[in-house]
Amino acid sequence: MRLVYAIVFVVGFAAIIADHLGSPSSGRAVSPEDFAGACAPCGAPCPSAKK
């Protein structure tokens, strides 16, 4: 039974890795300048910066 669990785990893990590696990228590297004036790493603007 452990062999079945191991096989299911390996196949699932391989599917996740294949999906991740096969997905298209944004096409460019992200630089810190892209987030200038942002409070969060996601680029959300600072509430205090709004005028």
Side-chain angles (χ1 to χ4, degrees):
M1 193 63 165
R2 278 193 246 177
L3 180 62
V4 173
Y5 288 134
I7 291 171
V8 168
F9 176 78
V10 169
V11 169
F13 189 73
I16 291 170
I17 296 298
D19 180 59
H20 173 70
L21 294 178
S23 64
S25 66
S26 64
R28 63 177 186 86
V30 177
S31 66
E33 289 82 25
D34 293 342
F35 303 115
C39 288
C42 67
C46 294
S48 61
K50 292 181 180 177
K51 295 182 181 182

